[in-house]
Amino acid sequence: MKGNFAMNPAAARLPIAESFLIQQDWSIYTPDQHAVWAELVSRRMPQLEEHACAEYLDGFDQIGLREDAIPNLAEVNKRLGPRTGWNATSVSGFLPPDAFFEMLAARQFPTTTWLRKRESLEYTPEPDIFHDVFGHVPMHAHPVFADFLQEYGRVCAGLIHDKDKLERMGRLFWFTVEFGVIRQKGEIKLYGSGLISSHGESTHVINRSSEGGPEIRDFDLDAVLNQEFLVSEMQKVLYAVESFDQIYEAAKEAEHRLT
Ligand SMILES: [Fe+2]
């Protein structure tokens, strides 16, 4: 374990993000909302069992996510905290960059608490609890990924006044945390939350040769920092890592390249 999470994450000071923090009131979710969650999970799991990376599937079990109920973040954190020191912390919505990076550097993942409606099972323009918890949080149980994400937040916090450098760091986030893939036993496996939480995006990657899906290149930090992307379109290029150590080292190396 490279990171130091001896401090209690819940007690970490977040002077910038503080005004965005909210409490999740789990008791107000309706049976229909829990049913929407169950439907979302049951739509994704058959594909993920075959195509998600092993670390995601392990993390899903380790943090006790349920297929039939919206996650209670307090329960998730009771399991996640002792493993890596990460905490899924409820926030009111999109955070400005300085608050977002402050939270990552403190091992607190900003997590929305609302859930998409049944009419938009496949896509929401803004992240909801399905994208944030189902898509992101299982990977935070993996020690190296956990260290990478904290390091990423720390490096970005140090670049906060340089828009151009932050944009380049945003590409590192996009091609790892959101749309990352990894080679395991000779196959491409998914770990980015934008893939994990989207059936359409994942299918586009899995069936890439028949559906004109993305070209998969070997991960290269310089290439990623220079790779523009469109949020609103299916991805045309993705970068495959060989191990999660590679992205941890990339976050550290990015600091040298950009400062
Ligand atoms: Fe995300």
Side-chain angles (χ1 to χ4, degrees):
M1 175 81 42
K2 300 177 187 104
N4 171 19
F5 58 90
M7 68 180 176
N8 174 359
R13 287 190 64 250
L14 297 169
I16 308 169
E18 203 167 17
S19 62
F20 299 95
L21 305 184
I22 60 167
Q23 287 291 321
Q24 179 193 35
D25 183 356
W26 191 77
S27 68
I28 63 173
Y29 295 114
T30 64
D32 189 55
Q33 287 179 303
H34 288 299
V36 169
W37 172 274
E39 196 170 332
L40 284 162
V41 175
S42 69
R43 278 161 52 99
R44 292 304 296 123
M45 273 330 234
Q47 190 180 53
L48 293 179
E49 276 160 10
E50 199 180 338
H51 296 285
C53 70
E55 291 81 355
Y56 171 84
L57 296 168
D58 286 350
F60 186 93
D61 289 338
Q62 285 174 10
I63 65 174
L65 288 191
R66 287 171 50 180
E67 306 210 356
D68 62 345
I70 295 170
N72 179 330
L73 298 182
E75 298 297 320
V76 167
N77 290 331
K78 263 190 227 162
R79 288 164 162 258
L80 178 59
R83 289 173 199 279
T84 61
W86 272 86
N87 200 74
T89 304
S90 344
V91 296
S92 49
F94 265 129
L95 262 57
D98 54 352
F100 183 70
F101 300 134
E102 179 189 59
M103 289 189 71
L104 295 188
R107 292 192 181 237
Q108 302 219 26
F109 190 72
T111 305
T112 49
T113 58
W114 70 282
L115 182 67
R116 68 193 68 187
K117 299 223 178 331
R118 198 176 289 281
E119 305 83 78
S120 43
L121 285 184
E122 172 59 23
Y123 178 73
T124 59
E126 285 196 24
D128 66 344
I129 193 170
F130 182 70
H131 174 84
D132 285 339
V133 177
F134 182 90
H136 280 277
V137 177
M139 286 305 299
H140 304 171
H142 184 259
V144 178
F145 190 91
D147 287 349
F148 152 71
L149 195 54
Q150 177 185 30
E151 187 68 6
Y152 178 85
R154 186 189 67 73
V155 171
C156 290
L159 298 169
I160 200 70
H161 299 298
D162 192 320
K163 236 181 137 187
D164 178 59
K165 289 174 180 171
L166 269 191
E167 186 181 345
R168 285 152 66 79
M169 286 301 284
R171 296 171 187 158
L172 178 58
F173 193 89
W174 186 260
F175 290 109
T176 57
V177 178
E178 293 290 346
F179 283 91
V181 293
I182 184 167
R183 273 200 190 87
Q184 290 183 330
K185 296 181 185 156
E187 285 184 40
I188 290 294
K189 301 285 187 177
L190 317 174
Y191 72 88
S193 62
L195 296 170
I196 295 284
S197 64
S198 167
H199 192 79
E201 289 276 9
S202 292
T203 304
H204 195 56
V205 174
I206 293 162
N207 299 339
R208 59 193 172 282
S209 40
S210 57
E211 288 190 10
E215 177 192 346
I216 299 198
R217 300 178 186 161
D218 291 342
F219 182 88
D220 175 82
L221 178 60
D222 285 319
V224 168
L225 293 177
N226 289 317
Q227 179 69 51
E228 295 183 358
F229 60 88
L230 287 173
V231 175
S232 54
E233 287 185 6
M234 291 274 187
Q235 303 308 303
K236 294 194 168 47
V237 55
L238 297 178
Y239 292 89
V241 294
E242 300 295 327
S243 77
F244 291 112
D245 291 292
Q246 216 176 335
I247 56 174
Y248 176 77
E249 295 303 327
K252 287 205 302 187
E253 181 58 27
E255 185 174 30
H256 297 299
R257 305 273 170 99
L258 297 176
T259 51

Coordinates of all heavy atoms in Angstrom, one line a residue, residues 100 109 127 131-132 135-136 173-174 177-178 193-194 197, ligand 1:
F100 N -13.7 19.3 -6.2 CA -13.6 17.9 -6.6 C -12.2 17.3 -6.3 O -12.1 16.3 -5.7 CB -13.9 17.9 -8.1 CG -13.9 16.5 -8.7 CD1 -14.9 15.6 -8.4 CD2 -12.9 16.1 -9.6 CE1 -14.9 14.4 -9.0 CE2 -12.9 14.8 -10.2 CZ -13.9 14.0 -9.9
F109 N -14.9 10.3 -2.3 CA -15.4 10.3 -3.6 C -16.8 11.0 -3.7 O -17.7 10.6 -3.0 CB -15.5 8.9 -4.2 CG -15.8 9.0 -5.7 CD1 -14.9 9.4 -6.6 CD2 -17.1 8.7 -6.2 CE1 -15.1 9.5 -8.0 CE2 -17.4 8.8 -7.5 CZ -16.4 9.2 -8.4
P127 N -24.2 12.7 -13.8 CA -24.1 11.4 -13.0 C -25.1 11.3 -11.9 O -25.5 12.3 -11.3 CB -22.7 11.5 -12.5 CG -22.2 12.9 -12.6 CD -23.0 13.5 -13.7
H131 N -24.4 5.7 -11.7 CA -23.1 5.9 -12.3 C -22.0 6.0 -11.2 O -21.0 5.4 -11.3 CB -23.1 7.2 -13.1 CG -21.8 7.6 -13.7 ND1 -21.2 7.1 -14.8 CD2 -20.8 8.4 -13.1 CE1 -20.0 7.5 -15.0 NE2 -19.7 8.3 -14.0
D132 N -22.3 6.8 -10.2 CA -21.3 7.1 -9.2 C -20.9 5.9 -8.3 O -19.7 5.6 -8.1 CB -21.7 8.2 -8.3 CG -21.6 9.6 -9.0 OD1 -20.8 9.7 -10.0 OD2 -22.2 10.5 -8.5
G135 N -20.9 2.4 -10.9 CA -19.8 2.6 -11.9 C -18.4 2.8 -11.3 O -17.5 2.3 -11.8
H136 N -18.4 3.7 -10.3 CA -17.0 4.1 -9.8 C -16.5 3.3 -8.5 O -15.4 2.9 -8.4 CB -17.1 5.6 -9.4 CG -16.9 6.5 -10.5 ND1 -15.7 6.9 -11.0 CD2 -17.9 7.2 -11.2 CE1 -15.9 7.8 -12.0 NE2 -17.2 8.0 -12.1
F173 N -8.0 11.5 -16.6 CA -9.2 11.0 -15.9 C -10.1 10.3 -16.9 O -10.6 9.2 -16.6 CB -9.9 12.2 -15.2 CG -10.9 11.8 -14.2 CD1 -10.6 11.7 -12.9 CD2 -12.3 11.7 -14.6 CE1 -11.5 11.3 -11.9 CE2 -13.2 11.4 -13.6 CZ -12.8 11.2 -12.3
W174 N -10.4 10.9 -18.0 CA -11.3 10.4 -19.0 C -10.9 9.0 -19.4 O -11.7 8.1 -19.5 CB -11.5 11.4 -20.1 CG -12.5 11.0 -21.1 CD1 -12.3 10.3 -22.3 CD2 -13.9 11.2 -21.0 NE1 -13.6 10.2 -22.9 CE2 -14.6 10.7 -22.1 CE3 -14.7 11.8 -20.0 CZ2 -15.9 10.7 -22.3 CZ3 -16.1 11.8 -20.2 CH2 -16.7 11.3 -21.4
V177 N -10.2 6.6 -15.4 CA -11.4 6.5 -14.4 C -12.7 6.3 -15.1 O -13.5 5.5 -14.7 CB -11.4 7.7 -13.5 CG1 -12.6 7.6 -12.5 CG2 -10.1 7.9 -12.7
E178 N -12.9 7.1 -16.2 CA -14.2 7.0 -16.9 C -14.3 6.0 -18.0 O -15.2 5.2 -18.1 CB -14.6 8.4 -17.5 CG -14.8 9.5 -16.5 CD -16.1 9.2 -15.7 OE1 -17.0 8.4 -16.1 OE2 -16.3 9.9 -14.6
S193 N -15.8 3.8 -15.3 CA -17.2 3.8 -14.9 C -18.1 4.2 -16.0 O -19.3 3.7 -16.0 CB -17.4 4.9 -13.8 OG -17.0 6.1 -14.3
G194 N -17.7 4.9 -17.0 CA -18.5 5.3 -18.1 C -18.8 4.0 -18.9 O -19.9 3.9 -19.6
S197 N -21.1 1.5 -16.3 CA -22.5 1.8 -16.1 C -23.3 2.0 -17.4 O -24.5 2.3 -17.3 CB -22.5 3.1 -15.2 OG -22.0 4.2 -15.9
Ligands
FE1 FE -17.9 9.3 -13.6

